[in-house]
Amino acid sequence: MTLPRVILQVVVVGTQIFAKAFAESYQAAVANSAKNAAQYAANKSADSATRKTGMTIDEAFQILNVQKTENPKDIDKDEIVKKYEILFKQNDPSTGGSFYLQSKIVRARERLELELNKGKEELNNNTSGEPK
């Protein structure tokens, strides 16, 4: 084999490898873009309380270990406060707890209180709009 022929083969094989890698990379980028677009659409459609606290209502119920209710006006505020105080104290960093977990507990309480207040507002709007 002559030197020009070897160089030509190296260039051709290198180009083929590069083209194949580029095509696979492009396909992965397109798939990732579609996935990100779907996530963005899902996040955009989340309600304002979820966007504000960064937590869904289901997550808040799980974190505080409170019985989930379908109707926001049925949330037991005393139970929320009681569970919050217990968990917040247990996760105090000065006693070896986790500041991160404390933060999650605070956000869970805020989320449930927002939902509770929203339920009260809806109840007040429904009763004030009805003729007496």
Side-chain angles (χ1 to χ4, degrees), residues 22-77:
F22 182 78
E24 289 175 4
S25 173
Y26 181 76
Q27 288 175 346
V30 168
N32 195 22
S33 175
K35 182 178 123 184
N36 287 342
Q39 285 179 340
Y40 176 75
N43 289 341
K44 191 173 181 181
S45 67
D47 64 19
S48 64
T50 300
R51 285 192 307 269
K52 182 177 181 180
T53 61
M55 181 179 298
T56 65
I57 189 77
D58 293 334
E59 290 171 327
F61 278 121
Q62 288 177 351
I63 289 170
L64 290 178
N65 194 23
V66 176
Q67 184 66 35
K68 182 178 179 185
T69 61
E70 294 300 320
N71 194 342
K73 65 183 178 185
D74 295 336
I75 297 173
D76 185 8
K77 185 168 174 105

Side-chain angles (χ1 to χ4, degrees), residues 89-103:
K89 187 175 181 181
Q90 286 176 345
N91 288 290
D92 187 7
S94 64
T95 60
S98 168
F99 179 72
Y100 174 78
L101 290 177
Q102 265 192 336
S103 299

